[in-house]
Amino acid sequence: MYTTYILYSTLLDKYYIGFTADDIKCRIDKHLANHRGFTGKAKDWKLVFHELYKTKQEAMQREKQIKGWKSSLRIKELILRSSTD
């Protein structure tokens, strides 16, 4: 299984969208570790959304779709809808 996910940093007031084949908890731990990437700029990333897919291609397509929105309002709506399901 593959997971498309959204993290949120209160410190940066930013979302991070990604996908992984790894266990989601392990992947978040990597984001929180010291590194030079975008998520290395903050240590308060929280998982706010995730979806499971059978194939890597499906997860990648969903990640690309969400990133293509370029709208935090649309991302917030997705997160809100998923929390009420």
Side-chain angles (χ1 to χ4, degrees):
M1 295 296 286
Y2 295 84
T3 305
T4 300
Y5 61 92
I6 301 174
L7 304 178
Y8 178 73
S9 167
T10 305
L11 179 67
L12 299 176
D13 191 26
K14 298 275 184 192
Y15 291 99
Y16 176 84
I17 300 136
F19 83 94
T20 187
D22 296 333
D23 172 64
I24 191 68
K25 169 119 175 56
C26 291
R27 185 66 184 117
I28 293 169
D29 288 345
K30 289 178 185 177
H31 284 296
L32 294 172
N34 287 331
H35 64 92
R36 298 182 108 164
F38 176 78
T39 57
K41 297 176 184 175
K43 299 293 178 233
D44 69 335
W45 294 102
K46 302 283 187 227
L47 180 67
V48 293
F49 175 83
H50 72 282
E51 294 175 327
L52 297 175
Y53 293 94
K54 290 183 181 179
T55 69
K56 181 178 181 178
Q57 184 175 357
E58 290 173 310
M60 286 173 60
Q61 286 175 339
R62 182 61 162 156
E63 175 196 28
K64 186 175 180 178
Q65 177 188 39
I66 296 169
K67 285 182 174 180
W69 293 344
K70 304 237 184 267
S71 165
S72 61
L73 180 60
R74 197 158 175 202
I75 292 169
K76 287 176 189 175
E77 289 172 357
L78 174 66
I79 294 165
L80 283 173
R81 273 186 284 139
S82 73
S83 66
T84 59
D85 290 344

Coordinates of all heavy atoms in Angstrom, one line a residue:
M1 N 0.8 -1.2 0.0 CA 0.0 0.0 0.0 C 0.9 1.3 0.0 O 2.0 1.3 0.5 CB -0.9 0.0 1.2 CG -2.0 -1.1 1.3 SD -3.2 -1.0 0.0 CE -4.2 0.3 0.5
Y2 N 0.3 2.3 -0.6 CA 1.0 3.6 -0.6 C 0.1 4.6 0.0 O -1.1 4.5 -0.1 CB 1.3 4.0 -2.1 CG 2.3 3.0 -2.7 CD1 1.9 1.8 -3.3 CD2 3.6 3.3 -2.8 CE1 2.8 1.0 -3.9 CE2 4.5 2.5 -3.3 CZ 4.1 1.3 -3.9 OH 5.0 0.4 -4.5
T3 N 0.7 5.6 0.6 CA 0.0 6.7 1.3 C 0.3 8.0 0.7 O 1.5 8.4 0.6 CB 0.3 6.7 2.8 OG1 0.1 5.4 3.3 CG2 -0.6 7.7 3.5
T4 N -0.7 8.8 0.3 CA -0.6 10.2 0.0 C -1.0 10.9 1.3 O -2.0 10.6 1.9 CB -1.5 10.6 -1.2 OG1 -1.2 9.8 -2.3 CG2 -1.4 12.1 -1.5
Y5 N -0.2 11.9 1.7 CA -0.4 12.6 3.0 C -0.2 14.1 2.9 O 0.5 14.6 2.0 CB 0.5 11.9 4.0 CG 1.9 12.1 3.8 CD1 2.7 13.1 4.3 CD2 2.6 11.1 3.0 CE1 4.0 13.3 4.0 CE2 4.0 11.2 2.8 CZ 4.7 12.3 3.3 OH 6.0 12.5 3.0
I6 N -0.7 14.7 3.9 CA -0.5 16.2 4.0 C -0.1 16.4 5.5 O -0.7 15.9 6.4 CB -1.8 17.0 3.7 CG1 -2.3 16.7 2.3 CG2 -1.5 18.5 4.0 CD1 -3.6 17.4 2.0
L7 N 1.0 17.1 5.6 CA 1.5 17.6 6.9 C 1.3 19.1 7.1 O 1.2 19.8 6.1 CB 3.0 17.3 7.1 CG 3.5 15.9 6.9 CD1 5.0 15.8 7.0 CD2 2.8 14.9 7.8
Y8 N 1.1 19.5 8.3 CA 1.0 21.0 8.5 C 1.9 21.4 9.6 O 2.1 20.7 10.7 CB -0.5 21.3 8.9 CG -0.7 22.8 9.2 CD1 -0.7 23.7 8.2 CD2 -0.8 23.2 10.5 CE1 -0.8 25.1 8.4 CE2 -0.9 24.6 10.8 CZ -1.0 25.5 9.7 OH -1.1 26.8 10.0
S9 N 2.6 22.6 9.4 CA 3.4 23.2 10.4 C 2.8 24.5 10.9 O 2.6 25.4 10.1 CB 4.8 23.5 9.8 OG 5.5 24.3 10.7
T10 N 2.5 24.6 12.2 CA 1.9 25.8 12.7 C 3.0 26.9 12.7 O 2.7 28.0 12.4 CB 1.5 25.6 14.2 OG1 0.5 24.5 14.2 CG2 0.8 26.8 14.8
L11 N 4.2 26.5 13.0 CA 5.4 27.5 13.0 C 5.5 28.2 11.7 O 5.6 29.4 11.6 CB 6.7 26.7 13.4 CG 7.9 27.6 13.4 CD1 7.8 28.6 14.6 CD2 9.1 26.7 13.6
L12 N 5.5 27.4 10.6 CA 5.6 28.0 9.2 C 4.3 28.4 8.6 O 4.3 29.1 7.6 CB 6.3 27.0 8.3 CG 7.7 26.5 8.7 CD1 8.2 25.4 7.7 CD2 8.7 27.7 8.7
D13 N 3.2 27.9 9.2 CA 1.9 28.1 8.6 C 1.9 27.6 7.1 O 1.5 28.3 6.2 CB 1.4 29.5 8.7 CG -0.1 29.6 8.3 OD1 -0.9 28.6 8.5 OD2 -0.5 30.7 7.8
K14 N 2.4 26.4 7.0 CA 2.6 25.8 5.6 C 2.1 24.3 5.7 O 2.2 23.6 6.7 CB 4.0 25.8 5.2 CG 4.6 27.1 5.0 CD 4.4 27.7 3.7 CE 5.1 29.0 3.6 NZ 4.7 29.8 2.4
Y15 N 1.7 23.8 4.5 CA 1.4 22.4 4.3 C 2.5 21.8 3.5 O 3.1 22.4 2.7 CB 0.1 22.3 3.5 CG -1.2 22.7 4.3 CD1 -1.7 24.0 4.1 CD2 -1.7 21.9 5.2 CE1 -2.8 24.4 4.8 CE2 -2.9 22.3 5.9 CZ -3.4 23.5 5.7 OH -4.5 23.9 6.4
Y16 N 2.7 20.5 3.7 CA 3.6 19.7 2.9 C 2.8 18.5 2.4 O 2.2 17.8 3.2 CB 4.8 19.2 3.8 CG 5.7 18.3 3.0 CD1 6.7 18.8 2.2 CD2 5.5 16.9 3.0 CE1 7.5 18.0 1.4 CE2 6.3 16.1 2.3 CZ 7.3 16.6 1.5 OH 8.1 15.8 0.7
I17 N 2.9 18.3 1.1 CA 2.2 17.2 0.5 C 3.2 16.2 0.0 O 4.1 16.5 -0.7 CB 1.3 17.7 -0.7 CG1 0.3 18.7 -0.1 CG2 0.5 16.5 -1.3 CD1 0.1 19.9 -1.0
G18 N 3.0 14.9 0.3 CA 3.9 13.9 -0.2 C 3.2 12.5 -0.3 O 2.0 12.4 0.0
F19 N 4.0 11.5 -0.7 CA 3.5 10.1 -0.7 C 4.6 9.2 -0.3 O 5.8 9.6 -0.4 CB 2.9 9.7 -2.1 CG 4.0 9.3 -3.0 CD1 4.3 8.0 -3.2 CD2 4.7 10.2 -3.8 CE1 5.2 7.6 -4.1 CE2 5.6 9.8 -4.7 CZ 5.9 8.5 -4.8
T20 N 4.2 8.0 0.2 CA 5.2 7.1 0.7 C 4.7 5.7 0.6 O 3.5 5.4 0.6 CB 5.7 7.4 2.1 OG1 6.7 6.6 2.5 CG2 4.5 7.2 3.1
A21 N 5.7 4.8 0.5 CA 5.4 3.3 0.6 C 5.7 2.9 2.0 O 5.4 1.8 2.4 CB 6.2 2.5 -0.5
D22 N 6.5 3.7 2.7 CA 6.9 3.4 4.1 C 5.7 3.5 5.0 O 4.7 4.1 4.7 CB 8.0 4.3 4.6 CG 9.3 4.2 3.8 OD1 9.5 3.1 3.2 OD2 10.0 5.2 3.7
D23 N 5.9 3.0 6.2 CA 4.9 3.2 7.3 C 4.8 4.7 7.5 O 5.9 5.4 7.6 CB 5.4 2.5 8.5 CG 4.6 2.9 9.8 OD1 3.4 2.5 9.8 OD2 5.2 3.5 10.7
I24 N 3.6 5.3 7.6 CA 3.5 6.7 7.7 C 4.1 7.3 8.9 O 4.7 8.4 8.8 CB 2.0 7.1 7.6 CG1 1.8 8.6 7.4 CG2 1.2 6.6 8.8 CD1 2.3 9.2 6.1
K25 N 4.1 6.6 10.0 CA 4.8 7.1 11.2 C 6.3 7.3 11.0 O 6.9 8.3 11.4 CB 4.5 6.2 12.4 CG 5.3 6.5 13.6 CD 4.5 6.9 14.8 CE 5.4 7.0 16.0 NZ 6.4 8.0 16.0
C26 N 6.9 6.3 10.4 CA 8.3 6.3 10.1 C 8.6 7.5 9.1 O 9.6 8.2 9.3 CB 8.8 5.0 9.5 SG 8.8 3.6 10.6
R27 N 7.8 7.7 8.2 CA 8.0 8.8 7.2 C 7.9 10.1 7.9 O 8.7 11.0 7.6 CB 7.0 8.7 6.1 CG 7.2 9.7 5.0 CD 8.5 9.4 4.3 NE 8.8 10.4 3.3 CZ 9.9 11.2 3.4 NH1 10.8 11.1 4.3 NH2 10.1 12.2 2.4
I28 N 6.9 10.3 8.8 CA 6.8 11.6 9.5 C 8.1 11.8 10.4 O 8.6 12.9 10.5 CB 5.5 11.6 10.4 CG1 4.3 11.6 9.4 CG2 5.5 12.8 11.3 CD1 3.0 11.4 10.1
D29 N 8.5 10.7 11.0 CA 9.8 10.8 11.9 C 10.9 11.3 11.0 O 11.7 12.1 11.5 CB 10.1 9.5 12.5 CG 9.1 9.1 13.6 OD1 8.4 10.0 14.1 OD2 9.2 7.9 14.0
K30 N 11.0 10.9 9.8 CA 12.1 11.4 8.9 C 11.9 12.9 8.6 O 12.9 13.6 8.5 CB 12.1 10.6 7.6 CG 12.6 9.2 7.7 CD 12.5 8.4 6.4 CE 12.9 7.0 6.6 NZ 12.8 6.2 5.4
H31 N 10.7 13.3 8.4 CA 10.4 14.7 8.2 C 10.8 15.6 9.4 O 11.3 16.7 9.3 CB 8.9 15.0 7.9 CG 8.5 14.6 6.5 ND1 9.0 15.3 5.4 CD2 7.6 13.7 6.0 CE1 8.5 14.7 4.3 NE2 7.6 13.8 4.7
L32 N 10.6 15.0 10.6 CA 10.9 15.7 11.8 C 12.4 15.7 12.2 O 12.9 16.4 13.0 CB 10.1 15.1 13.0 CG 8.6 15.4 12.9 CD1 7.9 14.6 14.0 CD2 8.2 16.8 12.9
A33 N 13.2 14.8 11.6 CA 14.6 14.7 11.8 C 15.4 15.9 11.2 O 14.9 16.5 10.3 CB 15.1 13.4 11.3
N34 N 16.6 16.1 11.7 CA 17.4 17.1 11.1 C 17.8 16.8 9.7 O 18.4 15.7 9.5 CB 18.7 17.3 12.0 CG 18.4 18.0 13.3 OD1 17.4 18.8 13.4 ND2 19.1 17.7 14.3
H35 N 17.5 17.7 8.8 CA 17.9 17.5 7.4 C 17.7 18.8 6.7 O 17.2 19.8 7.2 CB 17.0 16.4 6.7 CG 15.6 16.7 6.6 ND1 15.1 17.4 5.5 CD2 14.6 16.5 7.4 CE1 13.8 17.5 5.7 NE2 13.4 17.0 6.9
R36 N 18.2 18.9 5.5 CA 18.3 20.2 4.8 C 17.0 20.5 3.9 O 16.9 21.5 3.3 CB 19.5 20.2 3.9 CG 20.8 20.1 4.6 CD 21.9 20.2 3.7 NE 22.5 21.5 3.9 CZ 23.7 21.9 3.5 NH1 24.4 21.0 2.8 NH2 24.2 23.0 3.8
G37 N 16.1 19.5 3.8 CA 14.9 19.7 3.0 C 13.9 20.7 3.5 O 14.1 21.2 4.6
F38 N 12.9 20.9 2.8 CA 11.8 21.8 3.2 C 11.3 21.6 4.6 O 11.1 22.5 5.4 CB 10.7 21.8 2.1 CG 9.5 22.7 2.5 CD1 9.6 24.1 2.3 CD2 8.4 22.2 3.1 CE1 8.5 24.9 2.7 CE2 7.3 23.0 3.4 CZ 7.4 24.3 3.2
T39 N 11.0 20.3 4.9 CA 10.4 20.0 6.2 C 11.4 20.1 7.3 O 11.0 20.1 8.5 CB 9.7 18.6 6.2 OG1 10.7 17.6 5.8 CG2 8.5 18.6 5.3
G40 N 12.7 20.2 7.0 CA 13.7 20.4 8.0 C 13.7 21.8 8.6 O 14.4 22.0 9.6
K41 N 12.9 22.7 8.1 CA 12.8 24.1 8.6 C 12.0 24.2 9.8 O 12.0 25.2 10.5 CB 12.2 25.0 7.5 CG 13.1 25.1 6.2 CD 12.4 25.9 5.2 CE 13.2 25.9 3.9 NZ 12.6 26.6 2.8
A42 N 11.2 23.1 10.2 CA 10.4 23.2 11.4 C 10.3 21.8 12.0 O 10.6 20.8 11.3 CB 9.0 23.6 11.0
K43 N 10.0 21.7 13.2 CA 10.0 20.4 13.9 C 8.6 20.2 14.5 O 8.4 19.4 15.4 CB 11.0 20.4 15.1 CG 12.4 20.6 14.6 CD 12.9 19.4 13.8 CE 14.3 19.5 13.3 NZ 14.4 19.4 11.9
D44 N 7.6 20.9 14.0 CA 6.2 20.7 14.5 C 5.2 20.2 13.5 O 4.0 20.4 13.6 CB 5.7 22.0 15.0 CG 5.4 23.1 14.0 OD1 6.1 23.0 12.9 OD2 4.6 24.0 14.2
W45 N 5.7 19.4 12.5 CA 4.9 18.9 11.4 C 3.9 17.9 12.0 O 4.3 17.0 12.8 CB 5.7 18.2 10.3 CG 6.5 19.2 9.6 CD1 7.8 19.4 9.7 CD2 6.1 20.1 8.6 NE1 8.3 20.4 8.9 CE2 7.2 20.8 8.1 CE3 4.8 20.4 8.0 CZ2 7.1 21.8 7.2 CZ3 4.7 21.3 7.0 CH2 5.9 22.1 6.6
K46 N 2.6 18.0 11.7 CA 1.6 17.1 12.1 C 0.8 16.5 10.9 O 0.6 17.3 10.0 CB 0.5 17.8 13.0 CG 1.1 18.5 14.2 CD 1.4 17.5 15.3 CE 1.8 18.2 16.6 NZ 2.9 17.7 17.2
L47 N 0.5 15.3 11.0 CA -0.3 14.6 9.9 C -1.7 15.1 10.0 O -2.4 15.0 11.1 CB -0.2 13.1 10.1 CG -1.0 12.3 9.0 CD1 -0.4 12.5 7.7 CD2 -1.1 10.8 9.4
V48 N -2.2 15.8 9.0 CA -3.6 16.3 9.0 C -4.5 15.6 8.0 O -5.7 15.8 8.0 CB -3.6 17.8 8.8 CG1 -3.0 18.5 9.9 CG2 -3.0 18.2 7.5
F49 N -3.9 14.8 7.1 CA -4.7 14.1 6.1 C -3.9 13.0 5.5 O -2.6 13.1 5.3 CB -5.0 15.1 4.9 CG -5.7 14.5 3.8 CD1 -7.1 14.3 3.8 CD2 -5.0 14.1 2.6 CE1 -7.7 13.7 2.7 CE2 -5.7 13.5 1.6 CZ -7.0 13.3 1.6
H50 N -4.5 11.9 5.2 CA -3.9 10.8 4.4 C -4.9 9.9 3.7 O -6.1 9.8 4.1 CB -3.0 9.9 5.3 CG -3.8 9.0 6.3 ND1 -4.4 9.5 7.4 CD2 -4.0 7.7 6.2 CE1 -5.0 8.5 8.0 NE2 -4.8 7.4 7.3
E51 N -4.5 9.3 2.6 CA -5.3 8.4 1.8 C -4.4 7.3 1.4 O -3.2 7.4 1.1 CB -5.8 9.1 0.5 CG -6.8 10.2 0.7 CD -7.2 10.9 -0.6 OE1 -6.3 11.0 -1.5 OE2 -8.3 11.4 -0.6
L52 N -5.0 6.1 1.3 CA -4.3 4.9 0.9 C -4.6 4.5 -0.5 O -5.7 4.6 -1.0 CB -4.7 3.7 1.8 CG -4.3 3.9 3.3 CD1 -4.9 2.7 4.1 CD2 -2.8 4.0 3.5
Y53 N -3.5 4.0 -1.2 CA -3.7 3.6 -2.6 C -3.0 2.3 -2.8 O -2.0 2.0 -2.1 CB -3.1 4.6 -3.5 CG -3.9 5.9 -3.5 CD1 -3.5 7.0 -2.7 CD2 -5.0 6.1 -4.3 CE1 -4.2 8.1 -2.6 CE2 -5.7 7.2 -4.3 CZ -5.4 8.3 -3.4 OH -6.1 9.4 -3.4
K54 N -3.5 1.5 -3.7 CA -2.9 0.2 -4.0 C -1.6 0.3 -4.8 O -0.7 -0.5 -4.7 CB -3.8 -0.7 -4.8 CG -5.0 -1.1 -3.9 CD -5.9 -2.1 -4.7 CE -7.1 -2.4 -3.9 NZ -8.0 -3.3 -4.6
T55 N -1.4 1.3 -5.7 CA -0.3 1.4 -6.5 C 0.5 2.7 -6.3 O -0.1 3.7 -5.9 CB -0.6 1.3 -8.0 OG1 -1.3 2.5 -8.4 CG2 -1.4 0.1 -8.3
K56 N 1.8 2.7 -6.6 CA 2.6 3.9 -6.4 C 2.1 5.0 -7.4 O 2.1 6.1 -7.1 CB 4.1 3.5 -6.8 CG 5.0 4.7 -6.7 CD 6.4 4.2 -7.0 CE 7.4 5.3 -6.8 NZ 8.8 4.8 -7.1
Q57 N 1.7 4.6 -8.6 CA 1.3 5.5 -9.6 C 0.0 6.3 -9.1 O -0.1 7.5 -9.3 CB 1.0 4.8 -10.9 CG 0.6 5.8 -12.0 CD 0.4 5.1 -13.4 OE1 0.6 3.9 -13.5 NE2 0.0 5.9 -14.3
E58 N -0.9 5.6 -8.5 CA -2.1 6.2 -8.0 C -1.8 7.3 -6.9 O -2.3 8.4 -6.9 CB -3.1 5.2 -7.4 CG -3.8 4.3 -8.4 CD -4.6 3.2 -7.7 OE1 -4.1 2.5 -6.8 OE2 -5.8 3.1 -8.1
A59 N -0.9 6.9 -6.0 CA -0.5 7.8 -4.9 C 0.2 9.0 -5.5 O 0.0 10.1 -5.0 CB 0.4 7.0 -3.9
M60 N 1.1 8.8 -6.4 CA 1.9 9.9 -7.1 C 0.9 10.8 -7.8 O 1.1 12.1 -7.7 CB 2.9 9.3 -8.0 CG 4.1 8.7 -7.4 SD 5.2 7.9 -8.5 CE 5.7 9.3 -9.6
Q61 N -0.1 10.3 -8.5 CA -1.0 11.1 -9.2 C -1.8 12.0 -8.3 O -2.1 13.1 -8.5 CB -2.0 10.2 -10.1 CG -1.3 9.7 -11.3 CD -2.2 8.7 -12.1 OE1 -3.2 8.2 -11.5 NE2 -1.9 8.5 -13.3
R62 N -2.2 11.4 -7.1 CA -3.0 12.1 -6.2 C -2.2 13.3 -5.5 O -2.6 14.4 -5.4 CB -3.5 11.2 -5.1 CG -4.4 11.9 -4.0 CD -5.6 12.6 -4.6 NE -6.6 12.8 -3.6 CZ -7.5 13.7 -3.6 NH1 -7.7 14.5 -4.7 NH2 -8.3 13.9 -2.6
E63 N -0.9 12.9 -5.2 CA 0.0 14.0 -4.7 C 0.1 15.1 -5.7 O 0.0 16.3 -5.3 CB 1.4 13.3 -4.4 CG 2.4 14.4 -4.0 CD 3.8 13.9 -4.1 OE1 4.1 13.0 -4.9 OE2 4.7 14.4 -3.3
K64 N 0.4 14.8 -7.0 CA 0.5 15.8 -8.0 C -0.8 16.6 -8.1 O -0.7 17.8 -8.3 CB 0.8 15.1 -9.3 CG 1.2 16.1 -10.4 CD 1.6 15.3 -11.7 CE 1.9 16.3 -12.8 NZ 2.4 15.6 -14.0
Q65 N -1.9 16.0 -8.1 CA -3.2 16.7 -8.2 C -3.3 17.7 -7.0 O -3.6 18.9 -7.3 CB -4.4 15.7 -8.1 CG -5.7 16.4 -8.1 CD -6.9 15.5 -7.9 OE1 -6.8 14.6 -7.0 NE2 -7.9 15.6 -8.6
I66 N -3.1 17.3 -5.8 CA -3.2 18.2 -4.7 C -2.2 19.3 -4.8 O -2.5 20.5 -4.5 CB -3.1 17.4 -3.3 CG1 -4.2 16.4 -3.2 CG2 -3.1 18.4 -2.1 CD1 -4.0 15.4 -2.1
K67 N -1.0 19.0 -5.1 CA 0.1 20.1 -5.3 C -0.3 21.1 -6.3 O 0.0 22.2 -6.3 CB 1.4 19.5 -5.6 CG 2.1 18.8 -4.4 CD 3.4 18.3 -4.7 CE 4.2 17.8 -3.5 NZ 5.5 17.2 -3.8
G68 N -1.0 20.6 -7.4 CA -1.4 21.4 -8.5 C -2.5 22.4 -8.1 O -2.6 23.4 -8.8
W69 N -3.2 22.2 -7.0 CA -4.2 23.2 -6.6 C -3.6 24.5 -6.2 O -4.2 25.5 -6.4 CB -5.0 22.6 -5.4 CG -5.8 21.4 -5.7 CD1 -6.2 21.0 -7.0 CD2 -6.4 20.5 -4.8 NE1 -7.0 19.9 -6.9 CE2 -7.1 19.6 -5.5 CE3 -6.4 20.5 -3.4 CZ2 -7.8 18.5 -4.9 CZ3 -7.1 19.4 -2.8 CH2 -7.8 18.5 -3.6
K70 N -2.4 24.5 -5.6 CA -1.7 25.7 -5.2 C -2.7 26.6 -4.4 O -2.6 27.9 -4.5 CB -1.2 26.5 -6.4 CG -0.3 25.7 -7.3 CD 1.0 26.3 -7.5 CE 1.9 25.6 -8.4 NZ 2.8 24.6 -7.8
S71 N -3.5 26.0 -3.6 CA -4.5 26.8 -2.9 C -4.6 26.2 -1.5 O -5.1 25.1 -1.3 CB -5.8 26.8 -3.6 OG -6.9 27.2 -2.7
S72 N -4.2 26.9 -0.5 CA -4.3 26.4 0.9 C -5.8 26.3 1.3 O -6.2 25.4 2.1 CB -3.6 27.3 1.9 OG -4.1 28.6 1.9
L73 N -6.7 27.1 0.7 CA -8.1 27.0 1.0 C -8.7 25.7 0.5 O -9.4 25.0 1.3 CB -8.8 28.2 0.4 CG -10.4 28.2 0.6 CD1 -10.7 28.3 2.1 CD2 -11.0 29.4 -0.1
R74 N -8.3 25.3 -0.7 CA -8.8 24.0 -1.2 C -8.2 22.9 -0.4 O -8.9 21.9 -0.2 CB -8.4 23.9 -2.7 CG -9.1 22.9 -3.4 CD -9.1 23.2 -4.9 NE -9.8 22.1 -5.6 CZ -9.6 21.7 -6.8 NH1 -8.8 22.5 -7.6 NH2 -10.2 20.7 -7.3
I75 N -7.0 23.0 0.0 CA -6.4 21.9 0.8 C -7.1 21.8 2.2 O -7.4 20.7 2.7 CB -4.9 22.1 1.0 CG1 -4.2 21.9 -0.3 CG2 -4.3 21.2 2.1 CD1 -2.7 22.4 -0.4
K76 N -7.4 23.0 2.8 CA -8.1 23.0 4.1 C -9.5 22.3 3.9 O -10.0 21.6 4.8 CB -8.3 24.4 4.6 CG -7.0 25.0 5.1 CD -7.2 26.5 5.5 CE -5.9 27.2 5.8 NZ -6.1 28.6 6.1
E77 N -10.2 22.6 2.8 CA -11.5 22.0 2.5 C -11.4 20.5 2.5 O -12.2 19.7 3.0 CB -12.1 22.5 1.3 CG -12.5 24.0 1.4 CD -13.0 24.6 0.1 OE1 -12.9 23.9 -1.0 OE2 -13.4 25.7 0.1
L78 N -10.3 20.0 1.8 CA -10.1 18.5 1.7 C -9.9 17.9 3.1 O -10.5 16.9 3.4 CB -8.9 18.3 0.8 CG -8.4 16.8 0.7 CD1 -9.4 16.0 0.0 CD2 -7.1 16.7 0.0
I79 N -9.1 18.6 3.9 CA -8.8 18.1 5.3 C -10.1 18.1 6.1 O -10.4 17.1 6.8 CB -7.7 19.0 5.9 CG1 -6.4 18.8 5.2 CG2 -7.6 18.7 7.4 CD1 -5.4 19.8 5.5
L80 N -10.9 19.2 6.0 CA -12.1 19.2 6.7 C -13.1 18.2 6.3 O -13.8 17.5 7.2 CB -12.8 20.6 6.6 CG -12.1 21.7 7.4 CD1 -12.7 23.1 7.0 CD2 -12.3 21.5 8.9
R81 N -13.2 17.9 5.0 CA -14.2 16.9 4.5 C -13.7 15.5 5.0 O -14.6 14.7 5.3 CB -14.2 16.9 3.0 CG -15.2 17.9 2.4 CD -15.4 17.7 0.9 NE -14.2 18.4 0.3 CZ -13.6 17.9 -0.7 NH1 -13.9 16.8 -1.3 NH2 -12.5 18.6 -1.2
S82 N -12.4 15.3 5.0 CA -12.0 14.0 5.4 C -12.2 13.7 6.9 O -12.4 12.6 7.4 CB -10.5 13.7 5.1 OG -9.7 14.5 5.9
S83 N -12.2 14.8 7.7 CA -12.3 14.6 9.2 C -13.8 14.4 9.5 O -14.1 14.0 10.6 CB -11.7 15.8 9.9 OG -12.5 17.0 9.6
T84 N -14.7 14.8 8.6 CA -16.2 14.6 8.9 C -16.7 13.3 8.4 O -17.8 13.0 8.6 CB -17.0 15.8 8.4 OG1 -16.8 15.9 7.0 CG2 -16.6 17.1 9.1
D85 N -15.9 12.6 7.6 CA -16.4 11.3 7.0 C -16.4 10.2 8.0 O -15.7 10.2 8.9 CB -15.4 10.9 5.8 CG -15.6 11.8 4.6 OD1 -16.6 12.6 4.6 OD2 -14.8 11.8 3.7

